[in-house]
Structures are given as structure tokens and as C-alpha cells.
Amino acid sequence: MAAGSCLLLLLLPSLVTASHSPPGCKIRITSKGLDLVKQEGLRFVEQELQNITVSDLHGNEGQFQYNISQVKVTDLQLAFSDLNFQPQQHLVFNINNASISLRFRRHLLYWFFYDIGSINASADGVHIYTVLQLAKDEAGRLKISHMTCNASIARMHAGFSGTLRKVYEFLSTFIVTGMRFLLSQQICPSLEHASLVLLNSLLDTVPVRNYVDEHIGIDYSLLRDPSISTDTLDLDFKGMFFPRVREDQELENHAVEPVIKETERMVYVAFSEYFFDSAMHSYFQAGVLTIELQGEKVPKDLEVLLRATFFGTIFMLSPSVDAPLRLVLQVSAPPRCIIKPSGTSVSVSAFLNISLVPPDRPPVQLSSMAMETKLSAKVFLQGKALRVQLDLRRYGWGPMGAWAESPPHPTHNCFLLSRFRIYSKQSALESLALFSLQAPLKTLLQLTIMPIINERTKKGVQIPLPEGMDFTREVVTNHAGFLTVGADLHFSKGLREVIEKYRPVPTAAAYSSSRPTEPSLDPSLL
């Protein structure tokens, strides 16, 4: 018994870790963001209630026979409404003292009097109370998993006209009572369909597991159900990139968990170092962190310097003296991201092989050197795409391998220190001979290699928000081990427009599929 208890104590830390994996990406929606959602959601609810279908009403009471048909909602007044967070997983949508105007056809028979026409009616004191439960589905997607609804109508009036108006008003109790009952019974089913079917189809537009480019993909699946307080809704996403050649590969997350404390903006998105590390690890696993320059692609000034540096070796290779040069830069280990309050940097280790490539003969290696550099990184949003721009420039020169400070830009999220160092893999003496190549090779990286890398990452990666919802007034803030993007939101498309675009068809359910989707070619989604 004691041995079993000890074993349980030893396993407990690992069980706790497994049950709470740190997110690579976290999103917080504040009460200010919920207010914007309420405005757009109220328009959507009005449109849904206007489409309510009420069954025909017919019956008789003594000598009075009636048939009510073609009931249509003509107007809605939802002046008093509210949308609130309710711990732990709920949103509460409350409508008070609303009014609904109706118009329908009447067929009335009273003794020998038969009448056909239209009736205008109004339902006043309409109260609708709905609670939406949010949860993570099997595919890791945010869904409305359950809805409770309660609707009531305090009063209903029907207006009659014509010579028999007084008679109709006396007998209208039967019609109004029946119509009030039928209308109140249709409100909740209409909103339930709008929530569990239509709004869930909108949530299907949030990217969960899709391809970023031809080399890597991103996994934005939720790690757990959303956490809701009275003022915020927090979503923990896996935030892990993966190489397309090995989609089942998992990179363990040892980074600091992002912590969002702010509530001033509508939405906050936090990214840990793990988010960026997994992207660079995936590119490394995909084998694309290699760049080759040969012949005319090698800058002329650098070629002259290289030929002078290795003059003795090249001279001994006659008749291959005039053979073109080839430079192969290959990253030797997955780059690492470092996020500090002062800025963001990326540490890279690589090999640079310099060779002569004689025609019709095997390449002749002149040198193989190791390079270590720390690139400054600017992280920013463009639409809904998170982009990173790398830079190697520095504002001051120091000895080889030393740190050199560069002044921060007032609006850019950049690291204050940059480093560039080269050394020979063969001997310390050759490392000393390479000192003259320090500045030219750094310039080569900045002017030739960095534009190629930044062009590859130009598209960025989409942040997991529904289609039609975009960021405005973004501000990037660095913390120890993670960064946050605070922004406001606006709807570039209405809920109805997006829902109609992706209105689900009655086929076999495919929403639980975990197969990644191809990168979108629609720039409006970014």
C-alpha cells in the first residue's frame, strides 16, 4: 500500500503537466469586444426572428369559425438587450420588453357573415433569455455545445377594421390567445437553430489545422474548454507548427505560458517562444533552411575579396583559377526565438561552405566555416496575418564575435542587440585569417540572404479569428518569454453574409475532420 502511494506521488507531477499543457497561442476577448459582438449579433437575431414561421391557426367557438394563415413578421423592436459573460463556460443573451409586429390573413365565419382580409397584430413585452454553453469539440474547435432558452409574451393585440370591427374585437380573444401561444413557441426553436447550426458554421471558418505554405502547417486546436470570467473569455490554443512531410510530429512545449492581464482593448493575442520555435523547427525539418549562391549571384565585391583571401589555395588549383565560386549557407540546428521586454531576437547557427565549381569537374572546397548570428526580429500584424521581419543591421562595430548594440526604434518590436561571428571548423589559425571576411559576409547576409528569407515569410500566418472579423489599432508588447498583440475589432462582413457563404448543406458531418486545409488564396482572409 505504501509503495503504491509513493508511486502515485511520483506520477502526480507528470499527470498535472499532461492535463494542463501550456498554450503556444492564447486569445482573450474582453467585455469591450463582447459589446461589439452584441451589436452585430443583435442584427443577426432580428433577421432570424423575422423569418419565424407560424403554423396556420383555425378553430371554432360556438357559431364563430376562424382560420388564420400566412403569418409574417413585419417589424421588430429589440431596444433592450444585453450580452454578458457567465462563468465558467457560458454567454448570456437577454432581451427585455421587445415588440413584434405581425400581419396575417383572416377567414372568419359568424352565423351567415363570411369575411376575408388581413389583420395587423403586435406582441408586446416580449422577453427572451438564452444561455449559450461554449466548449471544445473533438477536433479542437470552439463550438456552441448547448443552448437553453426561455421566451414569453406579456401582451398581444390584434387590430380589426370594417363594419364588423366591434364583433371581431369581441371575438378576437380566441385568435389572440392562440396566436400568442404559437408565436412564443417558435422563438426558441428559431434561436436554437441560429446558434447550434448557423453560428457554429461561422465558427467553422476559424482555422484549426491548416497549411501555411508548401513546407509547413499550423495547429490552432484548442487545448481545453474556454475559460470565462465576468469580464473576459480566454482561449488556449496549441499554437504549434508542423512540417508537411511529417504532419504527426509533436514538439514538446517547455516555454513560458503566456499570461494576459490587460482588459483595456477588445482582444488580446499572446504568442510564446514555443510558437515561433515550432515554426523554425518545422522549416528546419522540412530541409528548406539552405541557400545557395553561385556564379553571377555572388556579389562582385565579395567574390574579389574571397578570391584574394584564398589566393594561395586557388593558385594551386590551376587551371581552375577562373572557375565560378559557390557559396552554400546551411542552418545547422533549428533556430531559437528569444523574447524579452526589450525586444525579440532569433539565434541561428549555420555552416558556410565556399567552393570553386570548375566546368565538368567536381567542386573544390576552399573553406568550411561556422557562423553564429543573432537576428533582430520585428513582429507585427498585417490584416489577420502575423508577420516577422528579420534584420542583421547594427549601429556600431565591435571586435569579432563581440556584442554590438543598436538603438531601438520607437514603434518597432526589435531586439536591442545583434551578433555576427564566423570561425573556421578546421583551425584557430584559419579563424584568424577569416577576420577580414567578417564585415563583407555580414553585408552579404543583410543585402542578399535576409531579403530572400523575409520574402519567404512575407505572407505570415493567420490568427484564429472567424471570417469577417478583423483587427484595428494593433499594439505589440513584449514580455519575458512571450509577446502580446492588443487590438480592437471590427466586422468587415456581417454575420449573415459569412453564414450564407458557408451555410451547411445536409450531408455527412465533416466538421470533425482533422486534415489540414490548404493555404487560402483569398487575400481578404489575411
Side-chain angles (χ1 to χ4, degrees):
M1 184 70 178
S5 301
C6 293
L7 180 61
L8 181 61
L9 290 174
L10 291 174
L11 291 176
L12 187 59
S14 62
L15 293 175
V16 172
T17 302
S19 63
H20 189 82
S21 302
C25 172
K26 173 177 276 189
I27 291 183
R28 163 169 288 183
I29 299 175
T30 67
S31 55
K32 292 181 180 179
L34 194 64
D35 288 340
L36 178 70
V37 174
K38 185 191 81 170
Q39 298 171 17
E40 185 63 28
L42 193 60
R43 285 192 288 268
F44 175 69
V45 169
E46 289 178 350
Q47 293 167 351
E48 286 301 304
L49 293 180
Q50 285 177 345
N51 294 326
I52 283 180
T53 57
V54 180
S55 303
D56 293 350
L57 179 66
H58 56 84
N60 62 81
E61 187 69 27
Q63 299 299 321
F64 178 60
Q65 300 180 35
Y66 57 89
N67 183 39
I68 302 301
S69 61
Q70 301 179 25
V71 181
K72 292 184 179 180
V73 176
T74 59
D75 187 42
L76 281 155
Q77 297 295 329
L78 308 180
F80 303 100
S81 64
D82 206 1
L83 180 63
N84 294 307
F85 295 120
Q86 177 177 292
Q88 299 291 323
Q89 290 178 238
H90 300 89
L91 295 178
V92 176
F93 188 52
N94 194 18
I95 298 176
N96 284 310
N97 202 26
S99 64
I100 303 176
S101 298
L102 305 170
R103 185 176 180 86
F104 47 86
R105 294 286 295 173
R106 70 175 187 263
H107 297 261
L108 305 178
L109 177 63
Y110 184 65
W111 291 95
F112 301 105
F113 298 100
Y114 182 70
D115 184 52
I116 300 176
S118 299
I119 300 177
N120 293 321
S122 64
D124 299 320
V126 179
H127 175 70
I128 305 172
Y129 183 82
T130 59
V131 179
L132 305 178
Q133 181 175 348
L134 303 180
K136 172 182 79 75
D137 70 3
E138 294 181 357
R141 190 185 300 274
L142 179 65
K143 288 287 188 177
I144 301 173
S145 61
H146 183 68
M147 173 186 172
T148 58
C149 176
N150 183 27
S152 62
I153 299 174
R155 302 171 302 279
M156 192 160 186
H157 306 280
F160 295 88
S161 60
T163 56
L164 300 178
R165 179 172 59 88
K166 293 296 183 181
V167 177
Y168 292 157
E169 288 178 353
F170 175 73
L171 299 173
S172 66
T173 303
F174 308 110
I175 300 175
V176 170
T177 301
M179 187 59 62
R180 174 183 168 189
F181 173 78
L182 290 176
L183 181 61
S184 63
Q185 293 298 305
Q186 292 301 315
I187 291 175
C188 285
S190 176
L191 295 182
E192 184 175 354
H193 176 266
S195 300
L196 299 181
V197 178
L198 300 183
L199 288 182
N200 274 337
S201 71
L202 174 71
L203 294 176
D204 283 333
T205 66
V206 178
V208 171
R209 187 176 175 88
N210 63 323
Y211 295 136
V212 177
D213 54 29
E214 65 270 25
H215 304 296
I216 67 171
I218 177 72
D219 187 341
Y220 273 131
S221 57
L222 282 171
L223 294 175
R224 55 193 63 91
D225 290 333
S227 175
I228 298 180
S229 69
T230 55
D231 299 313
T232 60
L233 183 153
D234 289 338
L235 300 168
D236 290 348
F237 296 93
K238 192 171 188 177
M240 183 196 76
F241 292 83
F242 57 87
R244 293 182 61 166
V245 293
R246 299 163 66 181
E247 292 188 8
D248 57 346
Q249 177 177 287
E250 292 279 339
L251 182 64
E252 196 169 347
N253 187 353
H254 298 291
V256 174
E257 179 173 349
V259 178
I260 304 176
K261 298 180 179 180
E262 300 87 351
T263 59
E264 292 77 16
R265 307 297 289 274
M266 292 184 181
V267 63
Y268 291 89
V269 187
F271 302 95
S272 72
E273 292 175 345
Y274 171 79
F275 179 86
F276 301 99
D277 284 347
S278 67
M280 293 180 288
H281 186 274
S282 297
Y283 276 123
F284 180 79
Q285 291 291 320
V288 297
L289 298 184
T290 301
I291 296 177
E292 180 177 318
L293 301 177
Q294 182 173 324
E296 296 181 354
K297 293 184 178 180
V298 179
K300 195 65 179 178
D301 292 343
L302 179 62
E303 180 182 2
V304 172
L305 181 61
L306 290 174
R307 288 185 180 276
T309 302
F310 302 105
F311 173 78
T313 305
I314 295 175
F315 182 79
M316 298 296 294
L317 295 176
S318 180
S320 302
V321 175
D322 296 327
L325 286 176
R326 180 171 67 186
L327 278 63
V328 178
L329 180 65
Q330 182 175 9
V331 174
S332 55
R336 296 296 304 273
C337 176
I338 303 171
I339 303 176
K340 295 183 178 180
S342 55
T344 305
S345 69
V346 177
S347 296
V348 183
S349 297
F351 296 138
L352 178 62
N353 294 318
I354 304 174
S355 307
L356 282 177
V357 189
D360 303 323
R361 294 180 60 185
V364 179
Q365 182 170 294
L366 299 178
S367 178
S368 179
M369 63 186 74
M371 302 176 62
E372 293 180 358
T373 182
K374 182 166 285 188
L375 308 174
S376 62
K378 182 178 73 171
V379 181
F380 59 99
L381 280 180
Q382 187 173 38
K384 281 194 297 189
L386 183 74
R387 293 181 55 188
V388 178
Q389 186 172 3
L390 300 175
D391 199 343
L392 189 58
R393 286 174 293 187
R394 63 183 181 183
Y395 298 84
W397 297 94
M400 182 176 67
W403 294 94
E405 294 192 0
S406 55
H409 193 283
T411 60
H412 290 174
N413 172 13
C414 293
F415 199 66
L416 300 182
L417 301 176
S418 63
R419 181 183 69 181
F420 179 76
R421 185 167 72 97
I422 61 173
Y423 56 92
S424 172
K425 295 193 296 180
Q426 276 79 30
S427 66
L429 183 62
E430 185 177 355
S431 295
L432 183 62
L434 295 176
F435 181 80
S436 60
L437 296 178
Q438 180 88 5
L441 286 177
K442 181 175 181 293
T443 302
L444 169 71
L445 286 176
Q446 181 61 40
L447 299 181
T448 306
I449 307 301
M450 298 311 300
I452 296 175
I453 296 176
N454 287 326
E455 182 64 27
R456 287 184 177 179
T457 61
K458 183 178 180 179
K459 181 181 177 181
V461 60
Q462 185 180 352
I463 291 178
L465 280 183
E467 183 176 340
M469 185 177 287
D470 296 320
F471 294 103
T472 61
R473 303 196 306 125
E474 310 92 350
V475 175
V476 179
T477 305
N478 274 42
H479 306 271
F482 66 95
L483 58 86
T484 60
V485 181
D488 290 334
L489 297 170
H490 81 280
F491 283 93
S492 59
K493 298 178 183 178
L495 291 180
R496 172 66 56 186
E497 180 183 354
V498 178
I499 287 172
E500 290 298 329
K501 179 179 177 181
Y502 295 100
R503 179 177 288 274
V505 294
T507 58
Y511 301 122
S512 61
S513 172
S514 61
R515 173 154 181 82
T517 56
E518 293 290 343
S520 172
L521 299 178
D522 184 0
S524 64
L525 301 182
L526 301 179

